[in-house]
Amino acid sequence: MTDLLQQSTSLWNVSMFIVAAVVLLLVVLFFVTYAIYFERKVIGWMQLRTGPNRVGPLGLLQTVVDVTKLLLKEDTRPKDADKALYALAPVLAYAPAFAVLAVMPFSETIQFADLGIGVLYYMALSSITVLGVITAGWASNNKYSLIGGMRSAAQMISYEVPLVMSVLGVILMTGSMNLREIVEAQRDIWNVIPQILGFCVFIVAAQAELNRTPFDLPEAESELVAGYHVEYSGFRFAMFMLAEYVYMFGMGSLVTILFLGGWLAPFGLDFLPIPGIVWFILKFLLYVFFQFWIRATMPRFRADQLLPFAWKGLLPIALVNILITAVVISFQNGTL
Amino acid sequence: MSEEKRKPTPEEKAKAAAEAREKLEAARKAKEEQAAQASAPEAVASSPEQNAVKAEAEPASADQLAQAKAEAAAKAKAAAAAAAAAKAKAAREAAEGGATDTKAAETEAGGADADAKAKAAAAAKAKAAAAAAAAAKAKAAREAAEAGATETEAGGADADAKAKAAAAAKAKAAAAAAAAAKAKAAREAADGGAAETEAGGDDADAKAKAAAAAKAKAAAAAAAAAKAKAAREAGEGGAAGAEAGGDDADAKAKAIAAAKAKAAAAAAAKAKAAGGDAADTEAAPKAPSKNQPHLDHIVKLITEKFGSEVIEASYINELAKEVPTLVIKNENWHDVAKFLKENDELSFDYLSNLHGVDYEDRMEVYYHFYSYKNRQNLAVKVKTDREQPTVASVMNIWSGANWNERETYDLLGIYFPGHSELRRIMLPEEWVGHPLRKDYVPFDEEV
Amino acid sequence: MSMNLDMISLNSEFSEGTGLRTEEMLLNVGPQHPSTHGVFRLVVKIDGETIKESLPVIGYLHRGTEKLAEGLNYTQIIPYTDRMDYLSAMTNNYVICHAVETMMGIQIPERADFLRVIVMEMNRIASHLVWWGTYLLDIGAMSPFLFAFRDREMILELFNELCGARLTYNYMRIGGVKWDAPPGWIEKVKEFVKHLKKEIENYHALVTGNEIFINRLQGIGKFDAKTAIDYSLSGVMLRSTGVKWDLRKDEPYSVYNRFEFDVPTATEGDCLARYQLRMAEIEQSLRILEQALGQFPEEGEIMGKVPKVIRPPQGETFVRIESPRGEIGCYIASNGKDKPWRMKFRRPSFNNLQILPKLLKGENISNMVAILGSIDIVLGEVDA
């Protein structure tokens, strides 16, 4: 599939690109639909409930119905909202979330673009989403959404720093920013073992990047009602919702690739005739489950403790991790 | 107090009557049994004194006993109500009933049957106790009586008989005190009478009749002194006794006789120390509250500081768990309030409640304070004119007064000069009128 | 509801250093807001996320209970009290019955007294469970809410069996209680006590030790004992500052003097202390329940001798008892008729809420919900 990028542009390969994108979109939509279902079920069980079980067998169609409802809803807009920005914000939030998936190697063969700076691409694009969130908060002309937007900006920008820093250890070890190479470098041992410190920082920072519990301050429903998307409904709200879950998809993939050995089989189970994509999905689901588990367990952070935690807690740990990694690698290379 | 007003329902009466009868039965059986055991009585006889001692020793428990008695009285009344038709008669009967028991008790104490002794012992104890606790108030006497009763039970007679005996003892004291004694005493007397009548059993009738006339008069006099209500209650009590006393038709007659007997015994307090009790009872009809010294102290401190005219009234509010209550002059309220909080000996630092009351001729603001230092309650009332109700705000003394004063302003229209933001709090700003005032008419009837 | 907001003025200033113009803004929290636990409105003036000033607005749920009471006889008022503190209707029932009984000197049969204590303590547990669940929901943890409601549900089921209602019980009467315990009910309560004792451990394991949770609450909404007394605070709000004061212990009513239990206190006076106290109170209530169930009289009357028409003597009374939220009191002025001349309830939520503006000053918005939640208000009671 990556060959297509090398070919000269033609109707055929352009349409192939589009088809592939649509397929990916459908896959992602399918994931989002069932991630939400899964989330509701899992959390339901954790909370002594049954979760959705009415629409379709076992409630499997619940999310489908919900999404349909959102799509059919009237498109409302607050009277004094900034018309253009209000419409732009959901797109701004969603587009980068989808775009980052382009560089993800889901298996040895399934990848859309094999960028040499895959990690950087992901980080760079995902930062754009915060613009969408701030725009939404501002454009809604609502105090709650404004506060939510501001919180979100402060949080996402702050946590991006330890997030990137924690990945540096992996990059140092691999010597490459190419995601495929990072996976291949984990044949012997997954990065999660030598980079345990970086992994911990990454998981925490990722949680904050995703605005999920315990870092769900931007949309803290008990304080800000719904945060930056309080005025959104219908299709536009669905876009935000979609962005959130697609980011979870993206972040899950990234964690799998960076730390959990991507599509590689665990525990020397290479001999089994199981395609890499299955391993990838399993690891990825493990992370997604972890998300839900956290959500059912943790209370929310306090706004004024959030930023100190990033700057005084995570960042130093990430820096120490880089130092240790650098020292160890230098030692191994005999340069120290 | 509450019992005074209430009239037993027919069911209650019927029930009470039935109970009384059952008790009578039980009493009889007990007597028979005890007659068989000749030795038992002695033991019983010895116990009364102990009881009396206890009664004296534990004045604190007086209230509880009193309550217990009051209940018993209530039941007796209910029963009596069955005989309700003749209230006046009943009153007399009650008195008589009491008398009868006393006599019966004493007679039996002489040695016949065990019940009689038990009763007699109880009565004796009661009297002794009363005498000993001469200074002790009516309550103490009552307790003594009850204590006696209790022990009597221990002695072995049946519970009813004892209770009655005890009651009888009380009744006598009460009867003696009769004139001074309030409704309660009368009630107790009645109960006692009833009880004794039942306990007295079969022979009660005869004796009672014999004792009759003189006592009846005494009882009647006592009843007269007591309020009409008391009389009624007494009557009921008597009636109850009468029913209990007699399966036979002449229940009333017996009851009357018994009542007279008691009354006589009581009046003729000579028999035993009972006389002493009676005197005491008359002297102090009601025990002063345990909070009286606190009230006196508070009043003294305030008087020393501001002069006596700032306190319009001071009393113990019996209805509110004996809380010392002051009525402070409106003009001086703020100063007194400050003093109440800041004086070391008072230090009423906690404002528990603040609200207003519209009495149609005046308004009052009621404060309930508590001192965590001295563990002491205090209620203060400040009266104000109804046309221009104004009471100084105490918000700067107790911050907790803030919303309470706003609420009072909102609902009653009392102004609190000195309050920093006296706005409506429950109702919207544009509301017309103050709903808790008695002359409030809704601005818009449709709402 | 219109209101005068003149009290709050907004500053806008131009900062020389940064060249930015900053502006304070008013934020209306409520009356419809997930964390106000009812129709409570809080107007806050914020600078960024820092609260400069706040103005509580109440009265949205004012039903004029006290006015209505003047037109009803005493027994008819009891159902109205259910609707004040609807999370702890039993204590409300009790306070009015207790006031009338005090006035009239009515004696309560022992069995009725025990039933009253049992239901009041169960209700206290139920109320604290609701608080625990909703408070953690405010804080952002979702699961405890459902755990708490599962166990509260058991209490409500037991109440349902006892008096046919789950929330507005109307269970007590002047002189006793309306319904006797159905056969086997006491056993079921015993079972429940055992069950909850185990569950409390789980609750602690799930929440109490959580680092985020502790950091979130420690030092927030702090005040000292002097302030607490000055603001007429009661219940846990008062005890969290070290004042050992519980009316069940200090001015015993009903049969509370027969049971052994502790009055948990803390000295920190912050939200965390209040959390810990409420949890400890659940355990103490369980202790009382165990003893009350153990001493429960096998048989006996459930109604004392009460006149058919209740006419308290002329005069006034004020009694106060310990509700889950603090000191609930009932004042009755009677003119000897069957209807009160004036009835007033001292509502703990109302008095406890007064301190809110003081506590909120200088805090940020996420602490706002933590502080408001820790006061544990019930709007039905605030507005009566």
Side-chain angles (χ1 to χ4, degrees), chain B residues 2 71 352 356 381 399, chain C residues 104 107 230 316 327 342 346:
Chain B
S2 59
E71 289 174 18
S352 171
K381 299 205 287 179
S399 306
Chain C
M104 300 176 67
Q107 289 304 304
D230 186 40
E316 51 192 352
E327 190 178 300
R342 167 88 164 97
R346 188 246 191 243

Side-chain angles (χ1 to χ4, degrees), chain B residues 337-354:
Chain B
K338 216 171 169 62
F339 181 70
L340 283 176
K341 179 169 186 188
E342 287 168 4
N343 183 285
D344 278 345
E345 286 180 63
L346 298 171
S347 62
F348 285 102
D349 47 3
Y350 186 75
L351 173 68
S352 171
N353 191 22
L354 187 167

